[in-house]
Amino acid sequence: MYFVSSNDNKFREIMELLSSYSPVSLSLKYKKMKLREIQSNSLEEVAKMKAYEAYELTRDKVIVEDDGLFIESLNDFPGVYSSFVFDTLGNKGILDLLKDKKNRKASFKSVIALHDGKKVLTFTGKITGQISEVIFESGWGYDPIFIPENTDIPFGQMDLNLKNKYSHRRIALQEFLIWYNNNNNNNNNNNPNREK
Ligand code: IMP
């Protein structure tokens, strides 16, 4: 099975997670490739379309991932536009938008879409947290400004192991692995997001 993405950080985090889920034996190969992001107000739809495109390219089982940062006081902006907003406004732009806002609550969502050669399934992970007042030094993407709930350490200052303890990606991957295990053992698919 392939993981298709242009983002090495996502693959590194996923591989670290896979190595700690010892009951699951899944050999995941990395195909580095930028997939099209359709215009949609649903991360699930974006992820599904990426999965169709990735399958066309690899002709093998694939998983892809799409993420979004949803900031409460900005009416869930940047949400599905997170990638574009990161590339244009960046973390500084986000902090500027929040300059006078007391409410800094935000959530991070990950959608993993699997194309198994016949159908596409999605698996979701969502966490809540806060946008920091300052940009912390390290980390990729929004990691330097996102502090997950139940800690005061931003993602950017966590090692892989600790980030995975809190991360939206870990939850989505865990959902996928539960499905994968069940499906490989007894073909019993009870994923509610199943698409025929
Ligand atoms: P994408 O479209 O799935 O690549 O993600 C949307 C935006 O969120 C991109 O700018 C990513 O860099 C960023 N992003 C996705 N996941 C994470 C994460 O775990 N930490 C920080 N930023 C992330």
Side-chain angles (χ1 to χ4, degrees):
M1 184 182 295
Y2 283 99
F3 175 65
V4 182
S5 171
S6 59
N7 189 326
D8 297 352
N9 297 301
K10 289 184 181 180
F11 184 62
R12 203 171 314 124
E13 289 178 17
I14 285 176
M15 289 311 281
E16 164 73 19
L17 280 164
L18 280 180
S19 68
S20 53
Y21 286 104
S22 43
V24 180
S25 110
L26 169 65
S27 142
L28 197 61
K29 292 170 280 184
Y30 183 35
K31 184 123 188 137
K32 186 165 179 156
M33 193 167 277
K34 180 132 188 79
L35 298 166
R36 270 191 304 272
E37 287 210 11
I38 58 153
Q39 288 252 305
S40 166
N41 55 11
S42 145
L43 286 187
E44 281 77 6
E45 286 308 311
V46 177
K48 278 182 190 173
M49 294 313 290
K50 283 185 175 178
Y52 284 116
E53 188 191 353
Y55 178 74
E56 286 307 313
L57 292 166
T58 59
R59 288 273 146 201
D60 202 344
K61 291 178 183 168
V62 283
I63 56 171
V64 298
E65 194 206 352
D66 201 62
D67 301 276
L69 176 69
F70 298 80
I71 300 175
E72 197 174 276
S73 64
L74 302 179
N75 296 322
D76 283 347
F77 182 82
V80 288
Y81 309 109
S82 293
S83 185
F84 176 73
V85 169
F86 182 77
D87 293 343
T88 50
L89 300 182
N91 286 329
K92 162 108 179 41
I94 295 283
L95 293 199
D96 287 346
L97 289 173
L98 289 177
K99 210 164 44 191
D100 301 318
K101 310 268 190 208
K102 281 212 174 71
N103 176 3
R104 304 186 75 89
K105 282 187 201 156
S107 56
F108 232 135
K109 189 170 160 183
S110 160
V111 178
I112 289 178
L114 159 78
H115 197 312
D116 69 355
K118 292 189 188 125
K119 60 191 179 298
V120 173
L121 306 176
T122 59
F123 306 87
T124 301
K126 189 177 167 191
I127 55 165
T128 52
Q130 301 276 332
I131 302 298
S132 58
E133 303 275 348
V134 296
I135 301 175
F136 288 88
E137 282 296 305
S138 48
W140 59 278
Y142 295 107
D143 277 359
I145 61 165
F146 186 80
I147 305 171
E149 209 166 86
N150 300 323
T151 173
D152 49 12
I153 307 170
F155 266 163
Q157 302 213 317
M158 295 182 178
D159 62 22
L160 267 190
N161 221 332
L162 188 59
K163 180 176 175 185
N164 280 339
K165 182 174 160 205
Y166 292 100
S167 107
H168 50 314
R169 178 162 301 105
R170 194 257 308 156
I171 298 169
L173 191 74
Q174 223 167 355
E175 288 295 301
F176 162 67
L177 292 175
I178 290 168
W179 175 87
Y180 182 83
N181 249 350
N182 288 341
N183 196 260
N184 279 292
N185 292 336
N186 55 19
N187 263 348
N188 174 21
N189 177 3
N190 47 18
N191 181 297
N193 297 321
R194 181 176 184 166
E195 194 182 74
K196 298 239 162 67

